Amino acid sequence: MLKWRRGEQKALELVAPNHKEFLTPMIEIVPLPYDFVNEVPAKSIDGHLEKIGEQIECAWGKAPVFLDLDQIDDTEAMKNGTHPLGFALSECRVRRLHVIPVTGWDRDDSYNDEVVNANRVDNFGVCFRMVDEDFVDLDNRLKSLLSSLGISPEGVDLVLDFKHVGDEKTTVIALISIINSIPFLDQWRTLTFVGSSFPENLSAVSANTIGIVPRIEWSIWELINSKSGTIKRIPSFGDYAIAHPSYVEIDPRLMQMSASIRYSARDVYLLVKGVSVRKLSWSQTKDQCKKIVALPEYSGASFSWGDEYIMNCSKGTASTGNAETWRRVGTNHHLSLAASQISSFVAP
């Protein structure tokens, strides 16, 4: 699940082909950027989406990808009156991209009309993204969506999005119960569990330290894979890379940004945090990279573009960058790591 900002776009583009084959991104279009000084949106919806087809093609090519516009306000429309989802899918269609629209229980009729139209024109199917409030009435909600969209389970990728996960055992028990109660369980085109234990911010990590946060979502999926006798279908794995599931835009005038690098390891996130960039700038990331390279969890410079960048920065041969740079580096490494881990489960 990738929030569609420049850092994430470039991170995805730079994932190696041998890792990309184990990934299917869900692109979440972020809300319109806000001008906090003038208290108005900083862009129109047209400006926000004008390059969506080009961006997806550049970052991902023509392999299947999910596209979700749930974060775009229901009242938004393109200047010519077109629905934003319809516009985005049309831009991708011109480039012959394999884009699967995402919908859910809370989407309005105009949004779902675009989903139905896209499936009629492209025949790529639909993704149902079900979240925690859907789980208590999942049977009825899934059947209702199938009926209203005029599609069968065979054309649907079903995503169970737990968003932020905390307790491992409780989530495993809940996930098994939910999956075993899903109607037409064997008929869905794909079934995926998604969750994230990544913190909303790094405020709990002290300056000039390395914070450690368990990757609970990965532990949950590993446990699920060991429960083949009690679960009727093993789901695929999904997460939010190195981001919290919620999207929050903060007034830059109020931000106290610290230089930090987010580095995923097998079962933990390593949060290498410095001090305010207003005090020491981003130059401190050189020493932070040296710390990562010295850790046993470091994957090595040849593992991914992000890992190579970390090595080069530690040597002073790559820029110390900025916030976007390190989101790109950390996300690229994470996607490569997740793909590598997933491949170990599906390799013959």
Side-chain angles (χ1 to χ4, degrees), residues 60-82:
W60 190 245
K62 300 186 185 301
V65 62
F66 300 116
L67 180 64
D68 195 346
L69 268 67
D70 186 42
Q71 294 295 312
I72 300 300
D73 193 279
D74 294 342
T75 63
E76 292 287 352
M78 310 302 289
K79 190 175 182 179
N80 64 2
T82 303

Side-chain angles (χ1 to χ4, degrees), residues 1-5 8 26 28 30 240 243-247:
M1 317 285 263
L2 290 177
K3 294 174 173 57
W4 204 235
R5 299 170 297 198
E8 284 83 352
M26 181 181 288
E28 292 187 290
V30 297
Y240 281 82
H244 187 273
S246 300
Y247 180 82

Side-chain angles (χ1 to χ4, degrees), residues 129-344:
R129 183 179 181 180
M130 311 307 288
V131 296
D132 51 3
E133 54 262 36
D134 298 322
F135 299 155
V136 294
D137 193 27
L138 194 58
D139 184 280
N140 288 330
R141 294 191 175 192
L142 288 174
K143 289 177 179 176
S144 179
L145 279 171
L146 290 171
S147 176
S148 63
L149 297 177
I151 194 168
S152 65
E154 290 84 356
V156 176
D157 299 290
L158 180 55
V159 172
L160 304 177
D161 186 1
F162 277 66
K163 296 188 180 292
H164 195 264
V165 292
D167 185 79
E168 179 182 293
K169 291 183 179 179
T170 301
T171 306
V172 168
I173 292 170
L175 182 57
I176 291 174
S177 175
I178 290 165
I179 289 178
N180 287 347
S181 67
I182 291 175
F184 321 115
L185 182 58
D186 294 329
Q187 298 177 43
W188 304 97
R189 183 164 62 182
T190 61
L191 173 67
T192 304
F193 155 73
V194 173
S196 176
S197 55
F198 201 91
E200 190 167 1
N201 55 61
L202 307 189
S203 60
V205 182
S206 300
N208 295 319
T209 65
I210 300 178
I212 299 176
V213 175
R215 281 180 69 203
I216 296 173
E217 61 275 15
W218 180 255
S219 300
I220 289 169
W221 193 67
E222 283 189 310
L223 275 172
I224 288 295
N225 272 270
S226 70
K227 303 287 185 180
S228 57
T230 57
I231 190 168
K232 296 178 182 178
R233 180 172 175 177
I234 301 293
S236 299
F237 172 76
D239 64 19
Y240 281 82
I242 55 169
H244 187 273
S246 300
Y247 180 82
V248 178
E249 187 171 14
I250 302 173
D251 187 338
R253 296 170 300 177
L254 305 177
M255 290 179 66
Q256 294 292 327
M257 182 180 290
S258 299
S260 61
I261 302 175
R262 306 172 179 204
Y263 192 82
S264 306
R266 184 189 180 281
D267 51 12
V268 297
Y269 295 105
L270 302 172
L271 311 176
V272 186
K273 185 176 178 181
V275 298
S276 170
V277 294
R278 294 180 182 178
K279 182 178 180 180
L280 287 182
S281 78
W282 287 95
S283 62
Q284 47 193 308
T285 56
K286 179 178 179 180
D287 287 336
Q288 290 175 330
C289 287
K290 289 180 179 180
K291 291 179 181 178
I292 293 175
V293 169
L295 292 171
E297 291 86 356
Y298 177 59
S299 298
S302 63
F303 181 71
S304 71
W305 173 87
D307 286 282
E308 182 181 22
Y309 195 98
I310 289 171
M311 176 63 79
N312 290 340
C313 184
S314 74
K315 296 177 177 178
T317 57
S319 168
T320 54
N322 54 30
E324 182 183 317
T325 303
W326 295 106
R327 183 57 61 98
R328 182 192 314 158
V329 168
T331 301
N332 177 268
H333 163 76
H334 178 92
L335 293 172
S336 305
L337 175 69
S340 178
Q341 289 180 291
I342 292 164
S343 69
S344 69

Side-chain angles (χ1 to χ4, degrees), residues 43-64:
K43 278 185 178 181
S44 67
I45 186 65
D46 291 69
H48 196 48
L49 294 178
E50 65 178 344
K51 295 184 178 180
I52 184 63
E54 176 186 342
Q55 291 167 352
I56 293 176
E57 183 173 31
C58 185
W60 190 245
K62 300 186 185 301

